[in-house]
Amino acid sequence: VEQESLVHLAALPPATTPSCTISTPTVYHFNKETNTQVQEYLTKAVSLKDYALKHYAAPTPESFKPQCEQLGHGLGAWLRAFHSWSQEPGQAALREVFAGNKEMQVLKNMINYQQLLQKVDQHPTILGDSRDVIQGISDLAAKELEDEAALNVIHGDFWTGK
């Protein structure tokens, strides 16, 4: 699924800000037998997490605000373009690839919604008043998985970990 996704994403142009470019690496080769990919090597590529940890130690100086906003706007512009592009009629094959990946749909639902409810219990002073709203969102997301025609493509790789 990842390899097919990257092949489709090759048609999506990068988003560029004065300080960075957000793009998808190109897949050059895929071996189905070994599940091995050869991808474009982006020599200046840095993960969002590594970049943030290197450049934005707490407390982040106010002077960094413009750079943070540029990065956020660039990521947001690329992500918005990705979501809009994935809904175009010409991307039906991409949507079919994702629709067939039931395991990832269940995993994303568990991580993004079901585990969020556990965070309410872990941080009741911060999230306690939000339990009903979070439960409603979790229930809605679970119900959405029942109607494949109503599903939309999402990009799940902006997670920075703990």
Side-chain angles (χ1 to χ4, degrees):
V1 171
E2 180 180 343
Q3 180 268 340
E4 288 183 58
S5 301
L6 291 172
V7 168
H8 287 284
L9 280 167
L12 183 64
T16 303
T17 74
S19 59
C20 66
T21 298
I22 296 95
S23 64
T24 303
T26 301
V27 175
Y28 294 121
H29 177 74
F30 178 63
N31 183 323
K32 287 184 180 186
E33 292 177 16
T34 62
N35 201 29
T36 303
Q37 294 180 43
V38 177
Q39 297 180 357
E40 174 182 18
Y41 178 60
L42 303 171
T43 58
K44 295 182 181 181
V46 179
S47 75
L48 180 58
K49 179 180 180 178
D50 290 341
Y51 186 86
L53 290 174
K54 181 177 179 181
H55 296 286
Y56 302 126
T60 304
E62 185 66 25
S63 62
F64 283 24
K65 186 175 180 178
Q67 183 184 23
C68 291
E69 288 176 346
Q70 279 184 5
L71 178 60
H73 285 278
L75 288 169
W78 186 89
L79 199 54
R80 176 72 258 157
F82 168 78
H83 286 131
S84 297
W85 170 82
S86 70
Q87 294 306 308
E88 293 175 1
Q91 301 310 321
L94 172 71
R95 291 191 300 277
E96 287 179 28
V97 167
F98 288 138
N101 192 357
K102 302 295 182 197
E103 296 85 12
M104 185 57 72
Q105 292 171 16
V106 170
L107 178 65
K108 293 301 290 181
N109 180 270
M110 181 189 65
I111 291 169
N112 292 341
Y113 301 105
Q114 295 171 14
Q115 287 186 355
L116 185 57
L117 283 167
Q118 295 172 5
K119 298 298 179 188
V120 174
D121 295 331
Q122 291 175 353
H123 306 284
T125 56
I126 299 169
L127 298 172
D129 293 342
S130 303
R131 177 178 290 285
D132 290 343
V133 172
I134 294 170
Q135 181 68 59
I137 293 168
S138 180
D139 293 345
L140 180 63
K143 187 166 176 52
E144 286 176 347
L145 289 177
E146 296 172 9
D147 182 8
E148 190 175 291
L151 295 178
N152 289 304
V153 174
I154 63 166
H155 193 292
D157 280 348
F158 286 120
W159 179 70
T160 58
K162 292 183 179 183

mmCIF file of all heavy atoms in Angstrom, residues 7-42:
data_model
loop_
_atom_site.group_PDB
_atom_site.id
_atom_site.type_symbol
_atom_site.label_atom_id
_atom_site.label_comp_id
_atom_site.label_asym_id
_atom_site.label_seq_id
_atom_site.Cartn_x
_atom_site.Cartn_y
_atom_site.Cartn_z
ATOM 1 N N VAL A 7 3.670 6.057 -5.454
ATOM 2 C CA VAL A 7 3.618 6.168 -6.915
ATOM 3 C C VAL A 7 2.542 7.172 -7.316
ATOM 4 O O VAL A 7 2.767 8.045 -8.155
ATOM 5 C CB VAL A 7 3.376 4.784 -7.559
ATOM 6 C CG1 VAL A 7 3.029 4.916 -9.030
ATOM 7 C CG2 VAL A 7 4.603 3.898 -7.376
ATOM 8 N N HIS A 8 1.358 7.075 -6.698
ATOM 9 C CA HIS A 8 0.286 8.029 -6.996
ATOM 10 C C HIS A 8 0.681 9.451 -6.576
ATOM 11 O O HIS A 8 0.407 10.413 -7.289
ATOM 12 C CB HIS A 8 -1.008 7.633 -6.286
ATOM 13 C CG HIS A 8 -1.689 6.449 -6.886
ATOM 14 N ND1 HIS A 8 -2.409 6.510 -8.057
ATOM 15 C CD2 HIS A 8 -1.750 5.162 -6.476
ATOM 16 C CE1 HIS A 8 -2.888 5.316 -8.343
ATOM 17 N NE2 HIS A 8 -2.503 4.475 -7.395
ATOM 18 N N LEU A 9 1.316 9.568 -5.420
ATOM 19 C CA LEU A 9 1.681 10.888 -4.898
ATOM 20 C C LEU A 9 2.742 11.604 -5.729
ATOM 21 O O LEU A 9 2.933 12.807 -5.584
ATOM 22 C CB LEU A 9 2.172 10.776 -3.452
ATOM 23 C CG LEU A 9 1.068 10.681 -2.413
ATOM 24 C CD1 LEU A 9 1.633 10.254 -1.059
ATOM 25 C CD2 LEU A 9 0.350 12.007 -2.283
ATOM 26 N N ALA A 10 3.400 10.891 -6.611
ATOM 27 C CA ALA A 10 4.399 11.526 -7.473
ATOM 28 C C ALA A 10 3.775 12.640 -8.314
ATOM 29 O O ALA A 10 4.456 13.574 -8.722
ATOM 30 C CB ALA A 10 5.060 10.479 -8.372
ATOM 31 N N ALA A 11 2.460 12.566 -8.538
ATOM 32 C CA ALA A 11 1.772 13.590 -9.337
ATOM 33 C C ALA A 11 1.435 14.845 -8.536
ATOM 34 O O ALA A 11 1.051 15.859 -9.111
ATOM 35 C CB ALA A 11 0.482 13.002 -9.921
ATOM 36 N N LEU A 12 1.568 14.789 -7.224
ATOM 37 C CA LEU A 12 1.238 15.935 -6.367
ATOM 38 C C LEU A 12 2.450 16.850 -6.235
ATOM 39 O O LEU A 12 3.497 16.430 -5.756
ATOM 40 C CB LEU A 12 0.792 15.449 -4.991
ATOM 41 C CG LEU A 12 0.349 16.511 -3.996
ATOM 42 C CD1 LEU A 12 -0.893 17.243 -4.487
ATOM 43 C CD2 LEU A 12 0.068 15.874 -2.640
ATOM 44 N N PRO A 13 2.335 18.123 -6.662
ATOM 45 C CA PRO A 13 3.492 19.021 -6.597
ATOM 46 C C PRO A 13 3.866 19.359 -5.152
ATOM 47 O O PRO A 13 3.006 19.346 -4.261
ATOM 48 C CB PRO A 13 3.040 20.272 -7.345
ATOM 49 C CG PRO A 13 1.573 20.172 -7.516
ATOM 50 C CD PRO A 13 1.166 18.755 -7.266
ATOM 51 N N PRO A 14 5.127 19.680 -4.925
ATOM 52 C CA PRO A 14 5.557 20.069 -3.581
ATOM 53 C C PRO A 14 5.015 21.444 -3.198
ATOM 54 O O PRO A 14 4.619 22.228 -4.053
ATOM 55 C CB PRO A 14 7.084 20.098 -3.679
ATOM 56 C CG PRO A 14 7.385 20.255 -5.119
ATOM 57 C CD PRO A 14 6.224 19.676 -5.880
ATOM 58 N N ALA A 15 4.986 21.703 -1.899
ATOM 59 C CA ALA A 15 4.656 23.038 -1.387
ATOM 60 C C ALA A 15 5.968 23.672 -0.948
ATOM 61 O O ALA A 15 6.800 23.019 -0.327
ATOM 62 C CB ALA A 15 3.688 22.936 -0.213
ATOM 63 N N THR A 16 6.160 24.940 -1.278
ATOM 64 C CA THR A 16 7.419 25.610 -0.970
ATOM 65 C C THR A 16 7.154 26.885 -0.200
ATOM 66 O O THR A 16 6.237 27.641 -0.517
ATOM 67 C CB THR A 16 8.178 25.937 -2.269
ATOM 68 O OG1 THR A 16 8.391 24.724 -2.994
ATOM 69 C CG2 THR A 16 9.516 26.576 -1.983
ATOM 70 N N THR A 17 7.963 27.096 0.842
ATOM 71 C CA THR A 17 7.951 28.341 1.606
ATOM 72 C C THR A 17 9.336 28.955 1.443
ATOM 73 O O THR A 17 10.230 28.311 0.880
ATOM 74 C CB THR A 17 7.665 28.091 3.105
ATOM 75 O OG1 THR A 17 8.827 27.519 3.707
ATOM 76 C CG2 THR A 17 6.457 27.186 3.317
ATOM 77 N N PRO A 18 9.570 30.166 1.941
ATOM 78 C CA PRO A 18 10.915 30.736 1.828
ATOM 79 C C PRO A 18 12.004 29.908 2.521
ATOM 80 O O PRO A 18 13.170 29.983 2.153
ATOM 81 C CB PRO A 18 10.773 32.102 2.509
ATOM 82 C CG PRO A 18 9.335 32.456 2.338
ATOM 83 C CD PRO A 18 8.596 31.155 2.431
ATOM 84 N N SER A 19 11.614 29.070 3.503
ATOM 85 C CA SER A 19 12.637 28.333 4.237
ATOM 86 C C SER A 19 12.616 26.826 4.020
ATOM 87 O O SER A 19 13.520 26.133 4.486
ATOM 88 C CB SER A 19 12.500 28.620 5.733
ATOM 89 O OG SER A 19 11.213 28.241 6.195
ATOM 90 N N CYS A 20 11.588 26.265 3.331
ATOM 91 C CA CYS A 20 11.551 24.818 3.170
ATOM 92 C C CYS A 20 10.659 24.401 2.001
ATOM 93 O O CYS A 20 9.865 25.183 1.506
ATOM 94 C CB CYS A 20 11.082 24.138 4.451
ATOM 95 S SG CYS A 20 9.372 24.487 4.899
ATOM 96 N N THR A 21 10.834 23.141 1.619
ATOM 97 C CA THR A 21 9.992 22.512 0.603
ATOM 98 C C THR A 21 9.425 21.238 1.196
ATOM 99 O O THR A 21 10.158 20.453 1.792
ATOM 100 C CB THR A 21 10.811 22.179 -0.659
ATOM 101 O OG1 THR A 21 11.322 23.402 -1.199
ATOM 102 C CG2 THR A 21 9.966 21.489 -1.712
ATOM 103 N N ILE A 22 8.123 21.037 1.034
ATOM 104 C CA ILE A 22 7.452 19.847 1.538
ATOM 105 C C ILE A 22 7.073 19.017 0.323
ATOM 106 O O ILE A 22 6.343 19.482 -0.557
ATOM 107 C CB ILE A 22 6.190 20.196 2.366
ATOM 108 C CG1 ILE A 22 6.567 20.982 3.629
ATOM 109 C CG2 ILE A 22 5.451 18.934 2.767
ATOM 110 C CD1 ILE A 22 6.474 22.442 3.495
ATOM 111 N N SER A 23 7.606 17.796 0.251
ATOM 112 C CA SER A 23 7.362 16.958 -0.913
ATOM 113 C C SER A 23 7.343 15.483 -0.522
ATOM 114 O O SER A 23 7.656 15.125 0.609
ATOM 115 C CB SER A 23 8.434 17.197 -1.972
ATOM 116 O OG SER A 23 9.700 16.799 -1.488
ATOM 117 N N THR A 24 7.006 14.660 -1.491
ATOM 118 C CA THR A 24 6.970 13.215 -1.315
ATOM 119 C C THR A 24 8.140 12.613 -2.078
ATOM 120 O O THR A 24 8.360 12.966 -3.242
ATOM 121 C CB THR A 24 5.651 12.655 -1.890
ATOM 122 O OG1 THR A 24 4.558 13.307 -1.254
ATOM 123 C CG2 THR A 24 5.547 11.161 -1.674
ATOM 124 N N PRO A 25 8.877 11.688 -1.466
ATOM 125 C CA PRO A 25 9.981 11.063 -2.202
ATOM 126 C C PRO A 25 9.455 10.188 -3.343
ATOM 127 O O PRO A 25 8.374 9.625 -3.270
ATOM 128 C CB PRO A 25 10.698 10.213 -1.148
ATOM 129 C CG PRO A 25 9.727 10.045 -0.042
ATOM 130 C CD PRO A 25 8.778 11.190 -0.099
ATOM 131 N N THR A 26 10.248 10.090 -4.389
ATOM 132 C CA THR A 26 9.914 9.280 -5.550
ATOM 133 C C THR A 26 10.323 7.835 -5.293
ATOM 134 O O THR A 26 11.392 7.576 -4.734
ATOM 135 C CB THR A 26 10.664 9.806 -6.792
ATOM 136 O OG1 THR A 26 10.292 11.166 -6.992
ATOM 137 C CG2 THR A 26 10.347 8.993 -8.033
ATOM 138 N N VAL A 27 9.480 6.886 -5.716
ATOM 139 C CA VAL A 27 9.828 5.467 -5.631
ATOM 140 C C VAL A 27 10.456 5.063 -6.956
ATOM 141 O O VAL A 27 9.865 5.263 -8.015
ATOM 142 C CB VAL A 27 8.577 4.596 -5.356
ATOM 143 C CG1 VAL A 27 8.945 3.117 -5.404
ATOM 144 C CG2 VAL A 27 7.961 4.946 -4.033
ATOM 145 N N TYR A 28 11.667 4.496 -6.900
ATOM 146 C CA TYR A 28 12.357 4.083 -8.110
ATOM 147 C C TYR A 28 12.172 2.595 -8.415
ATOM 148 O O TYR A 28 12.169 2.190 -9.561
ATOM 149 C CB TYR A 28 13.854 4.381 -8.008
ATOM 150 C CG TYR A 28 14.161 5.855 -7.942
ATOM 151 C CD1 TYR A 28 14.832 6.398 -6.866
ATOM 152 C CD2 TYR A 28 13.774 6.718 -8.971
ATOM 153 C CE1 TYR A 28 15.112 7.748 -6.809
ATOM 154 C CE2 TYR A 28 14.057 8.070 -8.916
ATOM 155 C CZ TYR A 28 14.727 8.574 -7.832
ATOM 156 O OH TYR A 28 15.000 9.918 -7.773
ATOM 157 N N HIS A 29 12.029 1.807 -7.353
ATOM 158 C CA HIS A 29 11.922 0.360 -7.555
ATOM 159 C C HIS A 29 11.189 -0.245 -6.372
ATOM 160 O O HIS A 29 11.330 0.208 -5.225
ATOM 161 C CB HIS A 29 13.310 -0.271 -7.675
ATOM 162 C CG HIS A 29 13.287 -1.750 -7.804
ATOM 163 N ND1 HIS A 29 12.906 -2.401 -8.950
ATOM 164 C CD2 HIS A 29 13.591 -2.723 -6.910
ATOM 165 C CE1 HIS A 29 12.977 -3.709 -8.766
ATOM 166 N NE2 HIS A 29 13.389 -3.927 -7.533
ATOM 167 N N PHE A 30 10.407 -1.296 -6.653
ATOM 168 C CA PHE A 30 9.721 -2.030 -5.588
ATOM 169 C C PHE A 30 9.775 -3.515 -5.905
ATOM 170 O O PHE A 30 9.410 -3.937 -7.006
ATOM 171 C CB PHE A 30 8.264 -1.574 -5.466
ATOM 172 C CG PHE A 30 7.493 -2.315 -4.413
ATOM 173 C CD1 PHE A 30 7.855 -2.221 -3.073
ATOM 174 C CD2 PHE A 30 6.413 -3.105 -4.758
ATOM 175 C CE1 PHE A 30 7.155 -2.902 -2.097
ATOM 176 C CE2 PHE A 30 5.693 -3.783 -3.786
ATOM 177 C CZ PHE A 30 6.064 -3.684 -2.448
ATOM 178 N N ASN A 31 10.257 -4.305 -4.960
ATOM 179 C CA ASN A 31 10.305 -5.751 -5.094
ATOM 180 C C ASN A 31 9.202 -6.329 -4.215
ATOM 181 O O ASN A 31 9.306 -6.304 -2.982
ATOM 182 C CB ASN A 31 11.677 -6.278 -4.665
ATOM 183 C CG ASN A 31 11.808 -7.771 -4.845
ATOM 184 O OD1 ASN A 31 10.866 -8.532 -4.638
ATOM 185 N ND2 ASN A 31 13.002 -8.198 -5.212
ATOM 186 N N LYS A 32 8.139 -6.854 -4.848
ATOM 187 C CA LYS A 32 6.996 -7.380 -4.096
ATOM 188 C C LYS A 32 7.368 -8.606 -3.264
ATOM 189 O O LYS A 32 6.811 -8.817 -2.192
ATOM 190 C CB LYS A 32 5.848 -7.734 -5.045
ATOM 191 C CG LYS A 32 5.135 -6.546 -5.602
ATOM 192 C CD LYS A 32 3.955 -6.973 -6.458
ATOM 193 C CE LYS A 32 3.271 -5.728 -7.010
ATOM 194 N NZ LYS A 32 2.044 -6.058 -7.720
ATOM 195 N N GLU A 33 8.292 -9.413 -3.764
ATOM 196 C CA GLU A 33 8.660 -10.643 -3.052
ATOM 197 C C GLU A 33 9.321 -10.348 -1.712
ATOM 198 O O GLU A 33 9.078 -11.042 -0.730
ATOM 199 C CB GLU A 33 9.577 -11.506 -3.919
ATOM 200 C CG GLU A 33 8.876 -12.083 -5.133
ATOM 201 C CD GLU A 33 9.821 -12.876 -6.020
ATOM 202 O OE1 GLU A 33 10.924 -13.243 -5.567
ATOM 203 O OE2 GLU A 33 9.444 -13.125 -7.178
ATOM 204 N N THR A 34 10.166 -9.317 -1.676
ATOM 205 C CA THR A 34 10.868 -8.993 -0.430
ATOM 206 C C THR A 34 10.290 -7.768 0.264
ATOM 207 O O THR A 34 10.761 -7.385 1.333
ATOM 208 C CB THR A 34 12.364 -8.740 -0.715
ATOM 209 O OG1 THR A 34 12.476 -7.611 -1.592
ATOM 210 C CG2 THR A 34 13.030 -9.966 -1.313
ATOM 211 N N ASN A 35 9.280 -7.156 -0.386
ATOM 212 C CA ASN A 35 8.663 -5.932 0.149
ATOM 213 C C ASN A 35 9.716 -4.851 0.389
ATOM 214 O O ASN A 35 9.736 -4.183 1.424
ATOM 215 C CB ASN A 35 7.875 -6.230 1.427
ATOM 216 C CG ASN A 35 6.837 -5.163 1.700
ATOM 217 O OD1 ASN A 35 6.321 -4.535 0.781
ATOM 218 N ND2 ASN A 35 6.545 -4.943 2.958
ATOM 219 N N THR A 36 10.600 -4.696 -0.594
ATOM 220 C CA THR A 36 11.703 -3.743 -0.505
ATOM 221 C C THR A 36 11.468 -2.596 -1.477
ATOM 222 O O THR A 36 11.141 -2.826 -2.641
ATOM 223 C CB THR A 36 13.044 -4.433 -0.853
ATOM 224 O OG1 THR A 36 13.222 -5.545 0.020
ATOM 225 C CG2 THR A 36 14.206 -3.467 -0.726
ATOM 226 N N GLN A 37 11.657 -1.373 -0.997
ATOM 227 C CA GLN A 37 11.509 -0.192 -1.837
ATOM 228 C C GLN A 37 12.852 0.516 -1.983
ATOM 229 O O GLN A 37 13.634 0.561 -1.040
ATOM 230 C CB GLN A 37 10.562 0.819 -1.189
ATOM 231 C CG GLN A 37 9.156 0.367 -1.063
ATOM 232 C CD GLN A 37 8.302 1.449 -0.417
ATOM 233 O OE1 GLN A 37 8.426 2.624 -0.740
ATOM 234 N NE2 GLN A 37 7.431 1.038 0.492
ATOM 235 N N VAL A 38 13.073 1.081 -3.146
ATOM 236 C CA VAL A 38 14.196 1.986 -3.350
ATOM 237 C C VAL A 38 13.557 3.342 -3.636
ATOM 238 O O VAL A 38 12.813 3.500 -4.594
ATOM 239 C CB VAL A 38 15.096 1.544 -4.530
ATOM 240 C CG1 VAL A 38 16.207 2.567 -4.758
ATOM 241 C CG2 VAL A 38 15.664 0.157 -4.284
ATOM 242 N N GLN A 39 13.839 4.298 -2.750
ATOM 243 C CA GLN A 39 13.240 5.625 -2.858
ATOM 244 C C GLN A 39 14.306 6.683 -3.093
ATOM 245 O O GLN A 39 15.475 6.479 -2.780
ATOM 246 C CB GLN A 39 12.496 5.989 -1.567
ATOM 247 C CG GLN A 39 11.338 5.111 -1.241
ATOM 248 C CD GLN A 39 10.655 5.532 0.058
ATOM 249 O OE1 GLN A 39 11.086 6.451 0.736
ATOM 250 N NE2 GLN A 39 9.590 4.838 0.397
ATOM 251 N N GLU A 40 13.830 7.795 -3.581
ATOM 252 C CA GLU A 40 14.679 8.976 -3.767
ATOM 253 C C GLU A 40 15.350 9.329 -2.440
ATOM 254 O O GLU A 40 14.727 9.307 -1.380
ATOM 255 C CB GLU A 40 13.790 10.125 -4.225
ATOM 256 C CG GLU A 40 14.471 11.456 -4.340
ATOM 257 C CD GLU A 40 13.502 12.544 -4.755
ATOM 258 O OE1 GLU A 40 12.273 12.352 -4.626
ATOM 259 O OE2 GLU A 40 13.973 13.589 -5.199
ATOM 260 N N TYR A 41 16.628 9.643 -2.521
ATOM 261 C CA TYR A 41 17.369 10.065 -1.346
ATOM 262 C C TYR A 41 17.356 11.593 -1.307
ATOM 263 O O TYR A 41 17.932 12.251 -2.166
ATOM 264 C CB TYR A 41 18.806 9.539 -1.384
ATOM 265 C CG TYR A 41 19.643 9.991 -0.215
ATOM 266 C CD1 TYR A 41 19.273 9.662 1.090
ATOM 267 C CD2 TYR A 41 20.790 10.736 -0.405
ATOM 268 C CE1 TYR A 41 20.032 10.065 2.157
ATOM 269 C CE2 TYR A 41 21.563 11.147 0.664
ATOM 270 C CZ TYR A 41 21.183 10.809 1.946
ATOM 271 O OH TYR A 41 21.936 11.212 3.017
ATOM 272 N N LEU A 42 16.665 12.138 -0.343
ATOM 273 C CA LEU A 42 16.567 13.588 -0.197
ATOM 274 C C LEU A 42 17.659 14.020 0.780
ATOM 275 O O LEU A 42 17.502 13.916 1.996
ATOM 276 C CB LEU A 42 15.172 13.975 0.300
ATOM 277 C CG LEU A 42 14.019 13.497 -0.594
ATOM 278 C CD1 LEU A 42 12.679 13.722 0.079
ATOM 279 C CD2 LEU A 42 14.076 14.203 -1.937
#
